[in-house]
Amino acid sequence: MAALSETPARALAIFAHPDDPEVSCAGTLTRWVADGCEVHLLIANAGEKGAAPPGTDPLALAARRAAEADAAASVMGLAGHEMLGIPDGELENTVELRAELVRRIRALRPEVVIAPDPTSVFFGSGYVNHHDHRALGWTVLDACAPMAASPLYFPEAGPAHQVTTVLLSGTLEPDVWVDISEHLPAKVAALRCHASQLGDGIDLVTQVVEARAAEAGQAGGMRYAEGFRRLSFRA
């Protein structure tokens, strides 16, 4: 059991779909922003296949979800956020995507990167982790270790940069927890921006977020928390 109390100077969160960072780590990102961290967000997918009634226009849904991501980023106080627009279900760990992530890591030079844990596949007997989550997790790990740190990988992507810590969210093996007790309202507010995904459940967001954060907090020895699997690399 370990509390992660240090705040990095610069961090980058990389997730698949527009609501993934809010579900996974909005409390942590908001806390770091409040502590002076420069936090950036990269969303890989367009979100055009998110839960919606039959007959929904995918382009209209993607535009709506991009606007929701803008609103959530504002709530969290992010220094910057960007969407790559990869169609849902089509994200693959390709050399092109690895190069794109390396370019952004080298440009932003974060100390910490947060991304989904690609080894988390089965959550009980009723949920299988999305393909995009798993594929993106492996791509981020490849980009951070060793590619972004080695000047011989993608030399056109800029000067090499070593990410010193990767925090994997949505993990089945958390070993560090961030206390988000003071920032739970901001996590709720950021998640509520994604109305297209919440539907009739929008009024239950506070209850669900509190319950999950309390469960993580119990594991981490605090009231409300977000848990991660931590990987450390030498600078």
Side-chain angles (χ1 to χ4, degrees):
M1 182 184 302
L4 184 62
S5 57
E6 303 87 358
T7 298
R10 189 177 294 111
L12 172 62
I14 307 176
F15 284 90
H17 308 105
D19 59 329
D20 290 344
E22 289 74 30
V23 172
S24 302
C25 61
T28 297
L29 300 184
T30 304
R31 171 178 170 165
W32 287 353
V33 168
D35 289 344
C37 179
E38 179 184 318
V39 179
H40 294 265
L41 171 64
L42 181 64
I43 299 171
N45 290 102
E48 87 288 359
K49 296 183 181 73
T56 297
D57 179 356
L59 293 179
L61 180 58
R64 180 180 179 185
R65 297 198 68 186
E68 291 172 345
D70 289 345
S74 179
V75 169
M76 292 184 285
L78 304 185
H81 70 286
E82 186 177 1
M83 295 182 67
L84 296 181
I86 299 170
D88 289 2
E90 299 182 26
L91 193 156
E92 301 293 346
N93 185 1
T94 63
V95 64
E96 292 80 10
L97 184 55
R98 291 194 293 274
E100 193 69 27
L101 296 190
V102 167
R103 184 176 71 82
R104 282 167 167 76
I105 289 168
R106 289 178 179 172
L108 295 172
R109 312 189 79 75
E111 298 170 31
V112 177
V113 167
I114 303 182
D117 187 342
T119 69
S120 299
V121 180
F122 304 109
F123 290 79
S125 60
Y127 180 78
V128 178
N129 202 6
H130 290 192
H131 165 83
D132 293 327
H133 298 173
R134 304 192 314 267
L136 180 67
W138 287 123
T139 310
V140 172
L141 289 176
D142 289 341
C144 290
M147 293 180 177
S150 173
L152 299 182
Y153 284 99
F154 312 116
E156 71 284 357
H161 172 70
Q162 177 66 71
V163 173
T164 56
T165 301
V166 173
L167 298 178
L168 298 176
S169 68
T171 181
L172 298 173
E173 301 179 68
D175 53 21
V176 294
W177 288 262
V178 175
D179 189 337
I180 64 166
S181 300
E182 295 183 13
H183 303 282
L184 193 69
K187 179 180 176 76
V188 171
L191 190 55
R192 285 176 66 90
C193 292
H194 295 278
S196 69
Q197 303 304 290
L198 298 172
D200 295 338
I202 194 166
D203 293 331
L204 299 176
V205 170
T206 300
Q207 179 181 341
V208 172
V209 169
E210 285 184 355
R212 291 180 178 176
E215 182 179 2
Q218 185 175 19
M222 51 201 71
R223 185 180 181 189
Y224 294 122
E226 291 169 339
F228 305 93
R229 181 178 182 177
R230 177 169 57 183
L231 303 174
S232 301
F233 306 102
R234 290 186 178 181

